[in-house]
Amino acid sequence: MATVHFELSLMAIVLLLTPSSGIAADRSSGTKGNLQHVNGVVGAIVDTSSRIGKEERVAMEIAREDLYRYSNQTLILHVKDTDQRKPIRAALAGMDLINTQVQAILGPQTWEEVSLIADICTKNQIPIFSFADTTPEWTTEKWPFLLGASHDNFAQMKAIAAVVQSWNWHQVTVIHEDVGSWTNGVMPYLHDSLREIGAEVSQFVGLSSFASSDSLSRELKNLKREQCRVFVVHLSLPLAVRLFEMAKKLKMMEKDYVWITTHHITSLVHSIDASIISSMQGIVGVKSYFSETGTRFQDFSSRFRKRFRRENPEEENNEPGIYAVQAYDAIWTIARALKGSNRRNQELLEKVLQTDFQGLSGKVQFNNHKMAPTQMFQIINVVGKSYRELGFWSSGLGFSEIIGKHATYSPLMNDLEQVIWPGGPRYTPRGWTELTREKPLLVGVPAKSGYKEYVKVEYDRSGNATSFDGLAIEIFNATVRRLPFYLPYEFVAFNDISYDNLVGQIGKTFDAVVGDVAIVASRYSHVEFSHPFSETGLMLVVPARSSNKAWSFIKPFTKSMWASITVITIYNGFVVWLIERHAHPELRGSMLHQIGVMLWLSFNTLFSLQGGKLHSNLSRMSVVVWLFVALVVIQTYTANLTSMLTVQRLEPTVTSVEELLKSNAAVGYCSGSYLEKYLVEVLGFTRNNVKHYGSAEEYAQAFNKKEIAAAFIGTPLAKIFLAKFCKKFIAAGPTFNIGGFGFAFPRGSPLLASINEALLKVSENGTLVQLENNFIGVLQKCQDKEEENPSLSPNGFRALFIITVGTSTIALVIYIFCIASSFPGLTTIRGLMFIIIKHWCYQSKRFSRRVSNVESLGNSSPQHAPNQLSQV
């Protein structure tokens, strides 16, 4: 800043001493003979050597004339001609205008010029209307008299991102002018807008405003060797014209190339000569929109064309653009603020900030010292000697063919007119090429992985060739094949055992890492991971032992089943005891004696078809049904118990982490992994009790030697370990929800979004499951053979239990009715029922007595038994 002030002071001295200081003559307009009617004095700084400056100067003159024509206001306009390539001259022009006692200054066009003048104007309290596209947020506090007179065009970056999204392009190369205000002010908006729609900037290419043809050729040749074919160009028009002419020479304006331009180029495409526009065929651009209908604009446009043709005969096209209408509106803004009184300084600034009217460029209103942002852009396609209007893009709405209340909006460009791409084809370029990159993607692979099913690195005898195989390798190969662009890559073995060191080489030695690399938060400090391609989790693996068989006889049935059998047995015994107790003296006695007899009678019927002599048909009916049910239950129990005793059942020797901590036991983990820190800091193991091992075989040896009591292994690797040693080890406790394997890339890698999308496609189309079956699915057969023999519940015997309980209940009800029939006072219906039941009971008792008599006769005199039996 001190250097700038020194240069300003030096140039000011030169300006005072020599009238021809290099700044063009002051061009003043006004009614010099009637100064008493002058409403204000305004200064303007423009570069009339550029198309923008020419349009601004003509538009300001027309605006000054319209002020007098429509509102009888007179403004004196001092125009200073400067060179935007030399910002110091704009500062000197600003000082000269302040000395001329101007009330406000319009221009200049670039932020580099504005930043030099803003400090001078703020000190002198002169409002300055900046036409620069970029105005940082912090300027309001530092330079309160600085106002943004051009509409904020940051929204165009979202429009460009929407164009990229419409054709499903994922990578973009940005070519921008290497100017601080453009690089720092605009590029972050473009980068963020592209990331929002899932695209990435593969690289930023900065070009100097004074870049030579050799420099342009060298940069374009470098881009031609890359795979990305989608270019977003954010340059000034002169530099852009030179760029496209060079691109045409290098055959980069042909098939498969996509060129998207920002409004800095597209808004001036109407001014480009036919000889130049031939090198821009197929370009799609975002153009600032302003309404070209209405009598007011038509009048302005007609007068502009005539005056512009007269003052600039060297220009072939005379149509006004966005820069002309913005300059026209700026003059009207100052005039409205000056109307009624000759305001100056702070009073004038406050009046300007209250401006609110509809100008030629759109809504003129200031928000935080800047013009309201543009919400609508026009999408054009350069074809032939001019351009085609494809449609419009509106912020928050999307694309449409027309504007207004009848417009139909879409997030994609598909509904707009057909785009004619470079080279003339009507098909959509894919945005990338299959040309091999000079430097393929270097992918690091852990060479010392203990689980060859995931990563297997082998060297030939000569050591000149290395082969890579395994589940992780094949999943990465399948993922790359699903990318929408060609990605050459090369696997490189990493021989260090530490996975943290392997991940740390990303961005240095490797461009990515593939293998059994766990996704851990601590590694996110310098890398990013893809979605996990394996199961997540951490399992506790411990030695297995045979289950305790002391109480195995109760395992065939569940507790509810045992309870159901007991209740039903006692209930059936109670029914039989109640019915038979009058016929058997031994069933009577004290309460305790009767309970014991009833329980004995209940369970005796399970194992004996005799069950004592039963005298009642009701008890016989109940017992027969229960014996059938008991036979089914006993046979089922025997079969299930036999199966359980035949198949070996395993159980863990340790059931929880708490048990390991209490016993101060040593535990193991996989070498080179993140688990040591997790076991010590999270689970609470002492560092001396944590030991690392490199493979499944080393784990098994450590268990056999009693070096460790348990091992913590990631779920994918734990399943492989348990499959190899399914008879010796078992998983215990819950699975800790951490880890999972993923591919590692540098932070902010443009490939990551595409890799994640391709990995999802590999998972959804069944390729991932197929690869898992090929590499680790066969190893899980050992686990699959050990089928469980679950204990049986009452659900499978519900029908049988209902039958036997129902039968006993019916017998009990009939017996109660038989007893109750001896009581008088019953109603007719109940009496009839009791008569029927009583008769049945009588016949039953009679039959029972005859059977008893026959048995007694048979015992006393066997020779008379046949006669007695015949009587019966």
Side-chain angles (χ1 to χ4, degrees), residues 45-269:
I45 302 174
V46 297
D47 181 4
T48 55
S49 64
S50 67
R51 172 70 186 210
I52 296 176
K54 294 175 182 179
E55 289 192 13
E56 289 175 342
R57 185 172 59 81
V58 172
M60 291 179 191
E61 294 288 356
I62 296 175
R64 188 188 62 79
E65 294 173 359
D66 287 348
L67 284 172
Y68 185 77
R69 177 183 175 187
Y70 295 115
S71 61
N72 199 28
Q73 283 185 269
T74 302
L75 285 182
I76 293 179
L77 180 63
H78 295 284
V79 179
K80 289 291 184 179
D81 189 7
T82 185
D83 187 350
Q84 63 181 6
R85 295 174 298 179
K86 300 177 180 179
I88 194 66
R89 293 191 175 183
L92 293 175
M95 294 172 60
D96 191 22
L97 289 173
I98 292 174
N99 293 333
T100 313
Q101 300 298 312
V102 296
Q103 293 166 276
I105 296 177
L106 300 178
Q109 187 64 39
T110 66
W111 172 249
E112 284 68 29
E113 295 174 295
V114 172
S115 60
L116 295 178
I117 303 175
D119 192 55
I120 302 172
C121 291
T122 299
K123 290 179 179 178
N124 291 274
Q125 295 188 342
I126 304 295
I128 174 173
F129 290 73
S130 167
F131 290 138
D133 290 318
T134 304
T135 304
E137 297 292 337
W138 50 266
T139 58
T140 304
E141 295 183 2
K142 184 175 182 180
W143 299 317
F145 282 83
L146 175 61
L147 301 167
S150 63
H151 292 278
D152 189 347
N153 286 294
F154 288 148
Q156 71 165 320
M157 300 307 168
K158 291 189 177 294
I160 292 174
V163 173
V164 173
Q165 184 183 24
S166 297
W167 310 110
N168 198 29
W169 295 319
H170 296 274
Q171 289 188 336
V172 172
T173 297
V174 177
I175 303 175
H176 64 94
E177 198 153 350
D178 197 7
V179 178
S181 59
W182 284 25
T183 303
N184 302 324
V186 179
M187 290 301 103
Y189 287 90
L190 177 58
H191 181 268
D192 294 342
S193 299
L194 289 171
R195 295 204 69 174
E196 288 178 5
I197 55 99
E200 296 288 345
V201 177
S202 60
Q203 60 178 314
F204 288 96
V205 179
L207 300 178
S208 170
S209 303
F210 311 103
S212 64
S213 298
D214 291 339
S215 176
L216 293 177
S217 177
R218 183 171 54 255
E219 293 292 348
L220 288 174
K221 286 179 180 179
N222 291 335
L223 294 177
K224 192 174 182 179
R225 285 191 289 266
E226 298 293 332
Q227 62 183 13
C228 182
R229 288 294 182 262
V230 181
F231 304 101
V232 174
V233 183
H234 183 67
L235 302 172
S236 60
L237 182 61
L239 183 58
V241 168
R242 296 175 55 215
L243 175 75
F244 289 125
E245 289 177 340
M246 183 59 68
K248 185 178 181 180
K249 290 180 181 179
L250 297 176
K251 297 183 179 181
M252 296 178 67
M253 299 299 296
E254 298 181 356
K255 180 181 176 181
D256 292 333
Y257 284 89
V258 178
W259 296 89
I260 304 173
T261 58
T262 62
H263 91 101
H264 298 84
I265 302 170
T266 318
S267 294
L268 291 171
V269 73

Side-chain angles (χ1 to χ4, degrees), residues 261 266-267 269 283-287 378-382 387-391 419:
T261 58
T266 318
S267 294
V269 73
I283 289 176
V284 173
V286 176
K287 180 183 178 183
Q378 206 169 13
I379 310 299
I380 69 168
N381 184 201
V382 178
Y387 62 90
R388 299 163 56 236
E389 297 177 354
L390 301 178
V419 179

Side-chain angles (χ1 to χ4, degrees), residues 244-454:
F244 289 125
E245 289 177 340
M246 183 59 68
K248 185 178 181 180
K249 290 180 181 179
L250 297 176
K251 297 183 179 181
M252 296 178 67
M253 299 299 296
E254 298 181 356
K255 180 181 176 181
D256 292 333
Y257 284 89
V258 178
W259 296 89
I260 304 173
T261 58
T262 62
H263 91 101
H264 298 84
I265 302 170
T266 318
S267 294
L268 291 171
V269 73
H270 65 280
S271 66
I272 301 177
D273 297 338
S275 59
I276 298 176
I277 207 169
S278 62
S279 62
M280 303 173 64
Q281 296 297 300
I283 289 176
V284 173
V286 176
K287 180 183 178 183
S288 296
Y289 171 77
F290 59 92
S291 177
E292 299 181 14
T293 60
T295 57
R296 186 181 177 194
F297 178 81
Q298 294 299 328
D299 177 68
F300 166 78
S301 177
S302 175
R303 294 161 59 203
F304 179 90
R305 289 195 300 269
K306 293 177 181 178
R307 186 160 190 161
F308 191 87
R309 186 184 303 112
R310 184 175 64 252
E311 296 184 7
N312 304 282
E314 73 281 2
E315 295 284 344
E316 293 185 6
N317 301 288
N318 307 309
E319 298 293 331
I322 184 65
Y323 300 102
V325 295
Q326 285 180 352
Y328 182 91
D329 289 341
I331 291 292
W332 273 88
T333 301
I334 297 175
R336 292 169 70 94
L338 291 171
K339 189 175 182 179
S341 63
N342 195 9
R343 297 182 179 86
R344 303 184 70 89
N345 304 339
Q346 185 68 33
E347 184 182 5
L348 176 60
L349 175 65
E350 293 177 356
K351 192 66 177 178
V352 169
L353 293 176
Q354 298 173 10
T355 301
D356 187 1
F357 70 96
Q358 192 70 27
L360 294 183
S361 63
K363 185 75 169 177
V364 179
Q365 185 179 25
F366 288 91
N367 181 18
N368 194 24
H369 284 62
K370 292 189 293 185
M371 196 78 76
T374 302
Q375 300 297 328
M376 185 181 299
F377 294 89
Q378 206 169 13
I379 310 299
I380 69 168
N381 184 201
V382 178
V383 178
K385 296 182 179 181
S386 185
Y387 62 90
R388 299 163 56 236
E389 297 177 354
L390 301 178
F392 303 88
W393 180 88
S394 302
S395 180
L397 298 175
F399 295 97
S400 62
E401 288 188 282
I402 60 174
I403 57 176
K405 60 181 181 180
H406 299 294
T408 301
Y409 296 94
S410 171
L412 305 178
M413 287 181 60
N414 303 38
D415 296 333
L416 303 185
E417 289 191 33
Q418 177 67 49
V419 179
I420 306 299
W421 300 104
R426 291 179 176 267
Y427 74 93
T428 303
R430 57 185 177 180
W432 55 275
T433 181
E434 295 182 355
L435 294 176
T436 305
R437 290 171 39 169
E438 292 183 350
K439 183 181 178 183
L441 195 74
L442 296 182
V443 181
V445 177
K448 295 185 178 181
S449 172
Y451 292 85
K452 305 303 180 184
E453 294 81 6
Y454 274 86

Side-chain angles (χ1 to χ4, degrees), residues 533-807:
F533 60 81
S534 69
E535 293 183 74
T536 61
L538 180 67
M539 297 177 64
L540 172 62
V541 177
V542 299
R545 63 185 178 189
S546 300
S547 59
N548 189 0
K549 297 182 180 180
W551 294 94
S552 59
F553 67 90
I554 66 172
K555 291 185 178 180
F557 289 156
T558 62
K559 294 180 180 180
S560 59
M561 181 66 177
W562 284 115
S564 300
I565 293 174
T566 302
V567 171
I568 294 174
T569 300
I570 294 176
Y571 176 71
N572 287 336
F574 168 75
V575 172
V576 173
W577 168 80
L578 185 63
I579 296 174
E580 295 290 334
R581 66 190 184 91
H582 294 292
H584 294 274
E586 63 272 15
L587 299 180
R588 296 189 294 270
S590 64
M591 180 63 67
L592 184 62
H593 174 72
Q594 292 186 60
I595 292 174
V597 171
M598 182 189 68
L599 294 176
W600 172 84
L601 186 63
S602 300
F603 291 97
N604 186 41
T605 55
L606 282 173
F607 310 104
S608 174
L609 294 178
Q610 301 297 326
K613 295 180 179 181
L614 302 178
H615 292 78
S616 173
N617 287 334
L618 296 175
S619 58
R620 291 191 183 100
M621 177 180 67
S622 176
V623 169
V624 167
V625 175
W626 174 233
L627 286 176
F628 171 74
V629 175
L631 179 63
V632 175
V633 172
I634 291 173
Q635 293 299 323
T636 304
Y637 170 84
T638 304
N640 202 24
L641 179 62
T642 302
S643 175
M644 288 184 171
L645 295 178
T646 302
V647 179
Q648 184 182 13
R649 305 294 299 280
L650 302 177
E651 64 181 21
T653 55
V654 179
T655 58
S656 66
V657 175
E658 290 74 15
E659 187 175 344
L660 291 170
L661 294 173
K662 289 180 180 179
S663 61
N664 197 31
V667 296
Y669 71 96
C670 186
S671 298
S673 71
Y674 63 97
L675 288 178
E676 180 179 9
K677 184 177 180 180
Y678 181 81
L679 295 176
V680 174
E681 297 182 2
V682 178
L683 297 185
F685 288 94
T686 59
R687 195 172 297 277
N688 293 334
N689 287 340
V690 176
K691 301 181 180 181
H692 60 83
Y693 300 93
S695 64
E697 289 72 17
E698 291 184 12
Y699 278 120
Q701 293 177 4
F703 278 120
N704 293 335
K705 295 178 181 179
K706 307 297 182 182
E707 293 179 0
I708 56 175
F712 289 88
I713 311 176
T715 299
L717 304 181
K719 288 188 174 182
I720 297 177
F721 177 82
L722 293 175
K724 289 183 178 180
F725 305 99
C726 56
K727 302 295 183 181
K728 296 182 179 180
F729 304 99
I730 192 172
T735 299
F736 301 92
N737 191 21
I738 59 173
F741 297 153
F743 308 133
F745 291 87
R747 289 193 64 84
S749 171
L751 292 174
L752 189 58
S754 300
I755 287 290
N756 282 331
E757 182 180 357
L759 185 57
L760 287 176
K761 293 178 180 178
V762 170
S763 177
E764 292 172 357
N765 65 13
T767 304
L768 182 59
V769 175
Q770 183 180 356
L771 290 174
E772 288 179 345
N773 292 334
N774 293 340
F775 284 93
I776 62 176
V778 179
L779 299 177
Q780 297 181 0
K781 288 185 177 180
C782 181
Q783 289 183 341
D784 296 338
K785 289 182 179 179
E786 292 195 9
E787 298 179 355
E788 294 289 337
N789 294 288
S791 302
L792 300 177
S793 66
N795 294 332
F797 301 88
R798 184 180 302 169
L800 292 175
F801 287 166
I802 291 175
I803 292 174
T804 183
V805 172
T807 303

Side-chain angles (χ1 to χ4, degrees), residues 31-51:
T31 310
K32 297 181 180 179
N34 300 307
L35 293 178
Q36 65 273 18
H37 300 294
V38 173
N39 298 100
V41 181
V42 179
I45 302 174
V46 297
D47 181 4
T48 55
S49 64
S50 67
R51 172 70 186 210

